[in-house]
Amino acid sequence: MVQAMRPSGAPFKRLFFALPVADAQRRALAQWRRGLNLRSGKPVASENFHLTLLFLGDVDAAQVPAICAAVDNIARPGAPLRLLLDQLKAWPRANVLVLEPQEAPPALRQLVYGLQQALLPMGFAEQAREYRPHLTLSREFRGQAPEATVAPDFFLTARHFTLYESRKGQYWPLAQWPLTA
């Protein structure tokens, strides 16, 4: 396995927690996105569709086992998470086009909070901004969200969450946890 190196010589991984998207749903999302006829941005590869829970950034590779052990003990929803991605939004500060839910289920917010609290003792700071669940459709997007001929109406159902490594534009699952106890 190839690992990036920090200036200090220590290997690191670029990590994030996310809810995966099922293959059939990825295809449906990609087809719907094609109907938007985007003229701006770089479409996210459909195999990379996910709903981010917590972005950790560059982490020393040696910390991965401790991160996994800390997450093993968090409270989980006890049932699959289901949310409706029904809002197409452009986020100008981040230059992305996203799908987000009009309302995030409380269980989703509690899961994110549990992840944040479990990792605080390891030196991962609390997020400065409020958590906004989203699925990124396009990066380097400029302008307003386009008008969709078919309104977004995607139910995402997740039975587990995953720790991913981002490496050269691909996301590699490192560990996963069921959402039931």
Side-chain angles (χ1 to χ4, degrees), residues 3-141:
Q3 292 181 331
M5 300 293 266
R6 290 184 177 209
S8 66
F12 71 91
K13 295 178 179 287
R14 191 164 179 81
L15 303 179
F16 64 95
F17 288 96
L19 298 178
V21 177
D23 289 339
Q25 191 105 62
R26 290 173 197 226
R27 288 189 296 274
L29 283 159
Q31 182 177 350
W32 180 82
R33 178 181 60 190
R34 278 191 296 278
L36 295 175
N37 297 315
L38 297 178
R39 292 177 173 77
S40 174
K42 292 183 179 179
V44 171
S46 62
E47 60 269 13
N48 286 345
F49 285 157
H50 65 275
L51 190 114
T52 303
L53 298 171
L54 181 64
F55 180 74
L56 299 180
D58 294 340
V59 175
D60 285 336
Q63 282 188 285
V64 172
I67 289 169
C68 291
V71 171
D72 284 343
N73 298 316
I74 68 169
R76 301 192 200 140
L81 284 173
R82 183 174 160 101
L83 68 152
L84 174 62
L85 298 174
D86 60 350
Q87 305 288 308
L88 179 63
K89 302 279 180 145
W91 290 2
R93 289 184 63 195
N95 292 322
V96 293
L97 182 68
V98 301
L99 274 177
E100 58 183 23
Q102 186 170 3
E103 275 190 53
L108 176 63
R109 291 190 181 283
Q110 290 167 351
L111 175 62
V112 170
Y113 180 76
L115 287 168
Q116 291 171 344
Q117 295 305 302
L119 298 175
L120 276 176
M122 298 181 68
F124 293 98
E126 284 192 61
Q127 300 296 307
R129 292 183 292 249
E130 181 182 347
Y131 174 66
R132 288 180 66 185
H134 65 280
L135 184 145
T136 303
L137 295 170
S138 184
R139 299 188 187 289
E140 298 179 26
F141 184 83

